[in-house]
Amino acid sequence: MRILILGGDGYLGWPTAMRLAARGHDVMVIDNYLRRTLARETSSLPLIDTPDLAERTAIYRSVSGFEIKVRIGDCADPAVMARVFQEFQPEAAVHYAEQPSAPFSMMGFDQAKLTLTNNLGTTFNLIWSVLQHAPGCHIVKLGTLGEYGTPNIDIEEGWIDIEHRGRSDRFLFPRQGASLYHTTKIMDTDLLWFYVRTYGLRVTDLMQGPVYGLDTKEADADPRLIPNFHYDDIFGTVLNRFLVQAVAGIPLTVYGQGGQTRGFLNLEDTLQCVELALKTPAMPGQLRVLNQYTELFSVNELAARVKRVGGTMGMNVRIAQLPNPRKEREEHYYNVRNQGLIDLGLKPHYLTDDVLGRLLARVFRYRAAIDPTRIQPRVRWS
Ligand code: USQ
């Protein structure tokens, strides 16, 4: 399959590109290094400096023999996107090209505007490039479980049947993001749904929870192929941050009561899920929504596990309860259906003590690179 990956330099985009190339697909990545730029501007550099796409793909080719085509360009620019589509004629497009950080989107007007225009702009351009240059192309869009928020009812996979005054119909599940970033993902879904039902696009929207880990089969072949791994307060996700904090002897930064529960998954499972979605594409005129996580944990549960496993490895892990910089429920009901990807064949990699121990050991190798000034939260929601 010819597969275009938008945002192919990112934490998820780069390992996805390597995996799909290793499966024999014809893969092209496009990225404008926005996340690298924003990370520099906000003093949020990753744990390990990663080579740019030209270098990464050359290293990957030399160790594996697999080719990944690279285009450097801004997916929010319609001319750039149209050119890439005309040239490559993708049969599937995996869309990661968004500003991915909730805290960044809440920093102020400029960051909010960038998040809104970039995220909606890339999705809109993708839709039109498919309509005009590659009809039939399956869009696999990375959404987020955060689109649903934390309602006091079970969360379905995208759709809900509602009975009202004796009549019933099917609607997108109610959504209420807890940051502007999450809200842009909701708007993406609405935009896609409009074009699906009006023009018959085929779209899979993957509602993903926070991802952890830095190992994949392909990345492990050479240390320079590692995904970019953030542990700062803006681009780092909670478990990756806790791993680094444990290794650095910094008390784990639990925000508020710590009862916030999310659906987590290993980086390896993100790759599996995207591959499964590509293998069995959505039908024309179908917006298929799949909830993408393997295990539910509260922040407190994660912190306690990191403390316990770190302790068995000789680390003195402490837990701090910080005033919550975000506006979110800290104790809530959370039951999210995720049967769709299991039915497609997902074999989860669970967060066992052994897996957690290996993650801690892996981060420990890079302990000299940890900058303790990148840990405490700098962005308050209000
Ligand atoms: N949290 C802490 N301490 C920390 C960092 C986070 O207690 O040091 C808490 C947050 O308050 C939140 C939870 O952990 O309740 C998850 O935070 P996160 O930073 O790991 O995740 P989030 O900001 O929601 O965003 C991340 C990714 C985003 C993806 C989303 C999935 O950055 O791209 O869409 O996870 S989800 O959380 O399900 O919406």
Side-chain angles (χ1 to χ4, degrees):
M1 221 190 288
R2 281 185 309 284
I3 305 175
L4 179 65
I5 301 178
L6 316 178
D9 186 54
Y11 175 52
L12 306 176
W14 172 240
T16 305
M18 288 193 288
R19 172 63 49 87
L20 294 175
R23 294 282 196 249
H25 296 293
D26 185 358
V27 176
M28 178 184 279
V29 296
I30 174 164
D31 205 296
N32 66 344
Y33 299 130
L34 175 69
R35 194 255 324 143
R36 289 183 191 244
T37 307
L38 300 182
R40 263 196 312 275
E41 285 174 5
T42 55
S43 304
S44 309
L45 296 179
L47 182 61
I48 310 127
D49 193 23
T50 52
D52 67 17
L53 278 170
E55 258 187 86
R56 278 174 148 182
T57 49
I59 296 164
Y60 186 52
R61 191 187 320 118
S62 72
V63 301
S64 72
F66 296 113
E67 186 79 38
I68 297 173
K69 301 181 172 95
V70 177
R71 295 292 177 273
I72 302 304
D74 184 359
C75 297
D77 178 341
V80 168
M81 190 83 100
R83 244 194 333 271
V84 166
F85 264 77
Q86 279 167 316
E87 175 199 352
F88 188 57
Q89 292 289 311
E91 292 157 278
V94 184
H95 178 15
Y96 293 113
E98 303 218 341
Q99 189 299 97
S101 159
F104 180 85
S105 75
M106 301 300 289
M107 286 177 81
F109 177 83
D110 291 344
Q111 296 84 355
K113 185 157 189 292
L114 184 151
T115 305
L116 186 72
T117 52
N118 179 76
N119 293 5
L120 269 296
T122 55
T123 302
F124 185 70
N125 291 344
L126 170 60
I127 289 168
W128 274 95
S129 294
V130 169
L131 288 175
Q132 295 183 316
H133 307 294
C137 174
H138 176 209
I139 296 177
V140 176
K141 163 74 174 49
L142 263 289
T144 166
L145 281 179
E147 290 183 39
Y148 303 121
T150 52
N152 199 30
I153 58 171
D154 287 357
I155 296 175
E156 304 297 326
E157 296 209 74
W159 302 94
I160 186 167
D161 295 314
I162 294 185
E163 251 190 59
H164 182 64
R165 301 191 187 184
R167 305 180 68 82
S168 64
D169 206 343
R170 168 160 279 222
F171 298 92
L172 279 170
F173 193 88
R175 292 150 303 144
Q176 39 193 354
S179 74
L180 181 72
Y181 155 74
H182 290 101
T183 305
T184 62
K185 294 277 188 169
I186 295 171
M187 295 159 102
D188 279 338
T189 301
D190 282 328
L191 206 53
L192 287 163
W193 174 219
F194 169 72
Y195 282 96
V196 163
R197 66 181 189 266
T198 310
Y199 295 87
L201 286 187
R202 50 207 306 178
V203 176
T204 300
D205 204 345
L206 297 172
M207 301 294 172
Q208 183 172 249
V211 181
Y212 59 85
L214 68 171
D215 290 302
T216 72
K217 203 155 50 165
E218 295 77 20
D220 291 349
D222 188 299
R224 293 165 299 173
L225 296 176
I226 196 164
N228 52 278
F229 183 87
H230 281 276
Y231 62 97
D232 57 87
D233 57 314
I234 294 179
F235 290 98
T237 48
V238 61
L239 180 53
N240 286 349
R241 278 168 56 68
F242 284 179
L243 297 171
V244 169
Q245 292 164 6
V247 165
I250 298 167
L252 308 187
T253 54
V254 170
Y255 295 167
Q257 301 296 309
Q260 302 94 308
T261 302
R262 299 289 183 269
F264 290 85
L265 76 166
N266 191 306
L267 177 56
E268 260 297 333
D269 289 344
T270 294
L271 305 191
Q272 263 197 82
C273 292
V274 169
E275 224 190 320
L276 288 168
L278 289 165
K279 264 191 197 156
T280 51
M283 304 298 288
Q286 183 191 10
L287 171 64
R288 175 177 59 170
V289 183
L290 298 166
N291 292 342
Q292 183 161 313
Y293 78 96
T294 58
E295 290 171 284
L296 297 177
F297 294 111
S298 71
V299 170
N300 281 334
E301 282 166 345
L302 280 182
R305 294 189 63 171
V306 171
K307 180 177 162 68
R308 182 167 50 74
V309 175
T312 64
M313 298 168 74
M315 297 175 192
N316 175 23
V317 183
R318 288 161 297 149
I319 298 176
Q321 208 171 48
L322 308 182
N324 196 340
R326 306 186 182 197
K327 277 204 175 140
E328 59 185 358
R329 288 191 183 142
E330 296 175 5
E331 294 293 342
H332 56 89
Y333 179 77
Y334 203 59
N335 187 24
V336 188
R337 305 234 182 194
N338 63 344
Q339 193 58 37
L341 281 157
I342 303 283
D343 289 346
L344 290 181
L346 173 65
K347 303 270 176 294
H349 292 74
Y350 293 115
L351 185 66
T352 59
D353 285 1
D354 183 46
V355 168
L356 199 45
R358 273 188 279 132
L359 285 168
L360 283 165
R362 186 85 155 85
V363 172
F364 192 80
R365 296 221 305 263
Y366 295 104
R367 66 191 180 285
I370 299 172
D371 179 348
T373 66
R374 290 190 196 139
I375 302 289
Q376 300 309 319
R378 290 169 289 176
V379 184
R380 298 194 184 280
W381 267 216
S382 62

